[in-house]
Amino acid sequence: MGDRRFGKGSPRPALLERLPSSPGFWRSPVRGVRFTAVLGLVLLAGLTLLFVTGLLSYAAYNPDLAPVNDKTPGKGLLGFYLFAWPTGPHWLYRLTQGLHVTVGIALVPVLLAKLWSVIPKLFALPPARSVGHALERVSLLLLVGGALFEFITGLLNIQLEYLFPGSFYPLHFYGAWVFFAAFLAHTGLKLPRAVRVLRGGRLEGSAPGEVDELASPAPAAPTVSRRGALAMVGGGSLLLLITSAGRSFDGPARQMALLTPRGVAEPGPGPNGFQINKTAAAVGVTAADTGKGWRLTVGGPAGEIRLSREQLLAMDQYSAALPIACVEGWATSDQWWRGVRLSDLAVLAGYRDRPPGVLVESVQRRGAFRKVALRDNQVRDPRSLLALQVNGEELSLDHGYPARIIVPAAPGVLNTKWVARLTFGEL
Ligand code: HEM
C-alpha cells in the first residue's frame, strides 16, 4: 500500500523505505523486545556492579583526605558517600577493582548487542512527538553516549595506560554519574516491560498482547535464532572473560590473559619478578636519586629526622603478605614484604599513641601520584610498612628501591615507590 502523503507515482515513499528512519529498513528477525529485554536484564546486573565497584575504587583513593589525592576537586555533592577505606580484608581492592575491569571487558559484547537490538529506535522520526518524548530521547542520548564514553575511556586506559594523564579520573568519574542517572531513568521505564515480556517464557516470536516496535515489520529469512544470537553474545563475553581475568592471578591463569597488559608473562624471574606498573626510568628516577646519598626524611611534631637505609634496617623489621592491586584491574598474588612499620616511624615523628595520617613523597619526577596522603587507619594497621625487601631479597629499583610503601587493601598508586619523605599529621 502506497503512502497517502505522496502523489501517485511519486518515488519518495520508496526512497523513504530505504532510509534507516523507516522501520522497514531494519530486517533482522532476531530483533524484538524479548531479545532486547534479556540483554537489558544482563546489563542491569552487570552495570550496577560496575557503578558500585567504580565508586568504591574512587573512595579507595581517599580523595576527601587531602588535596594531593583529589583528582576531581569540583565534585561537590557527588562525593557524599566517601568513607575511610578499610585495610581489611587485605585483598579488598584486588577484588573490587578486578571485578570492575574484568566484568567491564566481558560486558562489551552485551552492550554492543543491546545497541544493535535497539538501533531502529535511534533513527526513528520525527525526533520528538511531544515534550515528554523529546525528554525521553535526550535521556537516551545520555544513556547511549554515556555508556559508550565510559566503556571507551575505561578500555583505553587499561590498554594504553595513562592515555589521559591526570584527566582520566574526572572524565570517567563525571561520565559515570551522567551515565548512571540516565541508566536509572531508563531502567525505571523499561524494567516492568522487560519482566512482563519475559514472563511469557519463549524467546522466539512476539509477546502476546504487546506491540513489538523493535521487531521488523518485514523480516528477512532467519539465519540464526534469537537463542543462537544470545549464545553468540554470551560466547563472546566468555571468551573475553577467559582472556582477561587471568591478570588478577599468577601462574597459568596469567598466561591466558592474552588481551591485556600485565597479562601473559611476569617480568623476569626471581623474588622481584612480579608485575610493575611504572618502571623507575618511566618516572625519571635515576641511580643517583636512590644510591648511597639517599636519605628518608621523617617529619612531625618532633621535628625532622633523616635516616639512611642502614638506619632503617637497624630498626625493628616486620613482614606482611600483601598483593599489589592496580586501578587498571590487574593484581599480583600476595608477596612477602619486609620493612619498618609506618606506626613506628610515626613514633619517631612524635606521635607515640594514635598516629595520624601521613603525606608520602617520592623522589620520582613524573606521575600523577608523586605525592599521596594515607589515612590514620592505614598508618595504624600493623601490616602497613615502609618496605625495604620483598620475598627475601632487596627491592629491585623498579619495585621502589631503596624503600616503598605497602598498605593492605590500598590501590597500587597509594603504595608509593622510591619514598623520599614522610610527613605525619600534615596532609
Ligand atoms: C547501557 C545500558 C543500556 C542502553 C545503552 C540501552 C539502550 C536502549 C535504547 C536506545 C532503547 C530504545 C529506546 C526505546 O525503546 O525507547 C532501549 C530499549 C529497551 N531497553 Fe534498554 N538500554 C540499556 C539498559 C537496559 C536495561 C538495564 C534494561 C532492563 C531493565 C533495558 C530494557 C530495555 C527494553 C525492554 C527496551 C525496549 C522497550 C520498548 O520497546 O518499549 N535496557 N534500550
Side-chain angles (χ1 to χ4, degrees):
M1 213 168 63
D3 190 319
R4 290 212 199 111
R5 283 173 299 168
F6 302 102
K8 211 177 165 201
S10 161
R12 289 164 73 195
L15 176 67
L16 282 183
E17 282 298 305
R18 280 190 265 125
L19 292 180
S21 51
S22 158
F25 177 90
W26 306 97
R27 301 198 55 209
S28 169
V30 172
R31 280 200 193 85
V33 69
R34 284 182 163 170
F35 185 69
T36 299
V38 173
L39 296 167
L41 290 178
V42 175
L43 287 176
L44 178 59
L47 294 178
T48 304
L49 179 73
L50 285 197
F51 187 66
V52 171
T53 49
L55 291 191
L56 290 179
S57 175
Y58 183 70
Y61 277 91
N62 294 337
D64 54 334
L65 181 61
V68 285
N69 289 17
D70 196 355
K71 306 297 171 209
T72 51
K75 65 187 165 304
L77 289 177
L78 296 183
F80 73 94
Y81 75 93
L82 293 173
F83 57 97
W85 184 250
T87 53
H90 70 277
W91 40 259
L92 184 63
Y93 192 72
R94 186 178 176 194
L95 176 73
T96 61
Q97 196 57 4
L99 278 176
H100 184 73
V101 173
T102 311
V103 173
I105 293 174
L107 281 180
V108 168
V110 185
L111 177 70
L112 294 179
K114 176 76 169 40
L115 293 177
W116 174 84
S117 79
V118 296
I119 203 164
K121 288 261 195 166
L122 298 182
F123 285 91
L125 290 177
R129 292 191 299 269
S130 61
V131 177
H133 186 231
L135 285 176
E136 196 192 323
R137 291 205 84 173
V138 170
S139 81
L140 284 180
L141 193 72
L142 296 178
L143 176 71
V144 175
L148 291 174
F149 183 81
E150 287 302 285
F151 274 80
I152 291 170
T153 49
L155 290 172
L156 286 179
N157 195 52
I158 303 163
Q159 293 295 340
L160 302 177
E161 288 178 51
Y162 304 99
L163 178 71
F164 329 82
S167 63
F168 171 76
Y169 297 91
L171 289 175
H172 206 64
F173 176 73
Y174 292 122
W177 281 104
V178 171
F179 162 72
F180 204 70
F183 182 74
L184 278 185
H186 183 72
T187 303
L189 286 173
K190 304 293 181 188
L191 185 59
R193 180 145 199 234
V195 172
R196 207 166 52 238
V197 295
L198 290 179
R199 281 238 169 94
R202 280 169 42 252
L203 191 60
E204 311 298 331
S206 296
E210 294 270 344
V211 180
D212 193 337
E213 288 180 6
L214 292 172
S216 170
T223 50
V224 63
S225 66
R226 281 190 187 145
R227 198 174 286 277
L230 282 179
M232 260 166 52
V233 175
S237 287
L238 192 65
L239 191 66
L240 287 175
L241 188 73
I242 294 169
T243 48
S244 51
R247 75 220 175 101
S248 298
F249 306 93
D250 290 344
R254 195 180 288 279
Q255 307 285 316
M256 290 170 73
L258 301 167
L259 290 183
T260 55
R262 318 286 166 238
V264 194
E266 300 287 7
N272 276 279
F274 57 96
Q275 295 293 328
I276 291 163
N277 194 349
K278 293 266 171 113
T279 60
V283 290
V285 173
T286 62
D289 297 324
T290 56
K292 279 258 167 270
W294 175 86
R295 294 288 179 275
L296 172 76
T297 305
V298 179
E304 274 194 358
I305 34 171
R306 283 161 63 77
L307 297 167
S308 67
R309 200 161 188 280
E310 289 65 35
Q311 287 169 309
L312 286 167
L313 280 166
M315 291 176 68
D316 288 341
Q317 303 289 301
Y318 295 89
S319 295
L322 300 171
I324 296 286
C326 182
V327 63
E328 288 158 23
W330 62 266
T332 70
S333 58
D334 292 352
Q335 311 292 327
W336 274 100
W337 306 92
R338 194 165 169 76
V340 182
R341 278 186 178 154
L342 292 185
S343 52
D344 286 351
L345 291 166
V347 173
L348 289 185
Y351 291 99
R352 191 142 289 283
D353 338 283
R354 296 194 67 72
V358 64
L359 178 69
V360 183
E361 295 172 67
S362 170
V363 303
Q364 70 188 76
R365 293 191 171 73
R366 296 188 284 276
F369 291 90
R370 241 169 25 85
K371 292 184 189 180
V372 298
L374 295 172
R375 215 181 276 277
D376 52 3
N377 65 323
Q378 294 176 312
V379 172
R380 285 172 201 164
D381 191 299
R383 296 165 296 175
S384 295
L385 302 178
L386 180 75
L388 305 166
Q389 293 168 329
V390 66
N391 300 324
E393 240 187 38
E394 297 298 339
L395 290 172
S396 68
L397 186 58
D398 284 341
H399 277 302
Y401 181 91
R404 72 168 298 164
I405 298 288
I406 185 83
V407 170
V413 286
L414 293 193
N415 291 317
T416 309
K417 299 195 274 190
W418 314 289
V419 175
R421 186 182 183 97
L422 298 174
T423 314
F424 287 88
E426 244 178 63
L427 306 181

